[in-house]
Amino acid sequence: MGDIKNSYFIDNIKFILIFLVVFGHLIERYIDTNSTLMGVYMFIYIFHMPLFIFVSGFLSKNINKSKTVYLKSLLVPYIVLNIIWYTLAYFYTGETTLPVLYPGWTLWFLLSLFFWRVSLKYLIKIKYILPISFFLGLTVGLVSNGSILSFSRTIVFLPFFLLGYYCDMDRLKKIDDKVNVWIAIFGVALFVALALFLADKSVIDYKFLYGSYSYSELGLNIWQGILYRVLLYLSSIALSILVCAITPTRKTFYTSIGKSTMYIYAFHIYLVLIVFYLIPKWDSHILTNWIILISPLFITYILSLKIFAKVYESLFKGIFKLIK
């Protein structure tokens, strides 16, 4: 597969995942009115953030980086973008929220990634940290109000970050070599069918997949919550392996977009809101349905253009000068 930094595989998987992030957020408004959309949404949420976080851990091998790097690349963008988000939310709803304590919609990932990368150097010194992280992920479901500072998600998804850190390119190559592509496609199809079934029968609240709610907040007792989370951990790992197995390892027409995931992640919610405003309902017309389904591709491509990298960098340029 080649060097980590130059791997086409990494950029390809990052594109697939950021597209699914945009797609998932865009259909979120409409899932309550269509069980098929709900099933697709649940399928995406079984694996896309666990795998995204795995990749982030995979790319975090340099544990000796200065904390200032993470301050500039993650914490400052989180604070600034969160303030922008809640300022816009105030003008729309009239409600005020402490913008630092509560991540706005999608921005939890920046804060959690900051915590993971800053603490990684110390976490890996703990014996058996990987099984311990899974245990913590199961027990954090007992804690309410886990959305403060993205506490619950940081704990729930920590195992995937650690798995990524401990993984190397040789192990990823083994997945590509050992898992037959057609078997992987069949496996993915089975997970799609499972998600559609779960959605149709309302087996579990889709919010369970977020990792931000306690078991009790979702109407589950302790043992139900732990069982479901164990099954979700196993499903996330299995589906992630299958998706990796069918991801191209060569350069493709979308490989370069995988290098722009941060800008797409930061700005896509505003374009998604425009779609929500223009098309408030699913099934108003077949044309609007197609616009909803296709628009994530346009949003992902548009935000990958160099101009948005410049906009992103200019947002924080002044602040970065103050941080040495």
Side-chain angles (χ1 to χ4, degrees):
M1 283 190 183
D3 185 78
I4 289 175
K5 291 184 179 179
N6 298 317
S7 171
Y8 293 142
F9 170 80
I10 293 296
D11 288 332
N12 289 339
I13 197 71
K14 284 170 66 180
F15 164 78
I16 292 169
L17 294 172
I18 197 63
F19 166 73
L20 291 175
V21 167
V22 177
F23 189 88
H25 288 151
L26 203 141
I27 65 172
E28 185 176 326
R29 181 185 179 96
Y30 314 103
I31 56 177
D32 288 331
T33 59
N34 186 284
S35 64
T36 300
L37 278 183
M38 176 67 81
V40 172
Y41 184 82
M42 293 181 73
F43 166 75
I44 292 171
Y45 272 75
I46 289 173
F47 80 95
H48 81 313
M49 288 314 298
L51 185 50
F52 216 135
I53 291 160
F54 172 89
V55 172
S56 298
F58 183 84
L59 297 174
S60 300
K61 306 294 187 189
N62 186 357
I63 59 173
N64 293 314
K65 269 189 180 180
S66 168
K67 291 182 175 62
T68 304
V69 173
Y70 301 133
L71 191 70
K72 288 181 175 181
S73 62
L74 295 169
L75 189 59
V76 169
Y78 163 74
I79 293 172
V80 173
L81 292 170
N82 220 34
I83 290 173
I84 293 172
W85 172 260
Y86 278 112
T87 300
L88 294 175
Y90 170 75
F91 286 118
Y92 183 73
T93 66
E95 298 178 2
T96 56
T97 305
L98 287 173
V100 177
L101 293 180
Y102 294 92
W105 196 8
T106 65
L107 298 174
W108 67 270
F109 177 70
L110 295 179
L111 185 59
S112 290
L113 186 56
F114 171 76
F115 289 143
W116 293 323
R117 283 187 167 162
V118 166
S119 62
L120 180 60
K121 182 177 181 179
Y122 310 102
L123 287 174
I124 58 175
K125 292 179 181 179
I126 301 172
K127 195 174 183 180
Y128 307 122
I129 184 57
L130 189 54
I132 288 172
S133 70
F134 277 107
F135 175 77
L136 292 174
L138 297 176
T139 55
V140 76
L142 306 176
V143 180
S144 298
N145 299 319
S147 60
I148 297 176
L149 291 175
S150 190
F151 172 74
S152 181
R153 279 169 161 155
T154 301
I155 302 299
V156 168
F157 292 115
L158 174 61
F160 299 104
F161 186 79
L162 291 173
L163 282 170
Y165 171 77
Y166 286 120
C167 188
D168 55 34
M169 193 59 80
D170 288 337
R171 287 191 174 93
L172 288 180
K173 191 175 185 304
K174 285 179 182 178
I175 293 173
D176 184 58
D177 293 339
K178 289 185 176 182
V179 182
N180 180 275
V181 172
W182 292 108
I183 292 176
I185 292 172
F186 179 71
V188 170
L190 286 179
F191 270 103
V192 171
L194 173 63
L196 291 171
F197 172 80
L198 294 175
D200 185 57
K201 302 300 181 184
S202 300
V203 175
I204 190 169
D205 192 327
Y206 68 89
K207 292 178 182 177
F208 184 81
L209 304 177
Y210 293 169
S212 58
Y213 292 90
S214 68
Y215 300 145
S216 61
E217 287 171 329
L218 297 172
L220 302 171
N221 63 43
I222 294 174
W223 302 114
Q224 286 175 320
I226 290 176
L227 174 61
Y228 285 160
R229 184 151 289 163
V230 167
L231 292 175
L232 180 57
Y233 274 146
L234 294 174
S235 298
S236 298
I237 292 171
L239 185 50
S240 294
I241 290 172
L242 295 173
V243 171
C244 284
I246 62 178
T247 298
T249 57
R250 65 187 183 282
K251 187 174 183 179
T252 67
F253 67 91
Y254 54 78
T255 300
S256 60
I257 298 177
K259 299 181 184 298
S260 303
T261 52
M262 180 60 80
Y263 318 125
I264 299 168
Y265 199 92
F267 297 132
H268 78 277
I269 50 178
Y270 303 106
L271 298 186
V272 166
L273 289 176
I274 292 173
V275 177
F276 287 171
Y277 176 77
L278 296 175
I279 310 175
K281 294 180 181 179
W282 175 262
D283 243 358
S284 298
H285 190 277
I286 190 170
L287 179 61
T288 57
N289 287 356
W290 276 109
I291 291 173
I292 291 169
L293 296 176
I294 294 173
S295 58
L297 278 173
F298 288 100
I299 291 173
T300 303
Y301 171 73
I302 290 168
L303 294 180
S304 71
L305 299 177
K306 290 182 180 180
I307 186 172
F308 288 99
K310 293 178 181 178
V311 170
Y312 184 89
E313 290 163 8
S314 65
L315 260 178
F316 313 112
K317 196 172 183 180
I319 301 174
F320 287 165
K321 287 180 179 179
L322 300 175
I323 304 173
K324 295 182 180 180

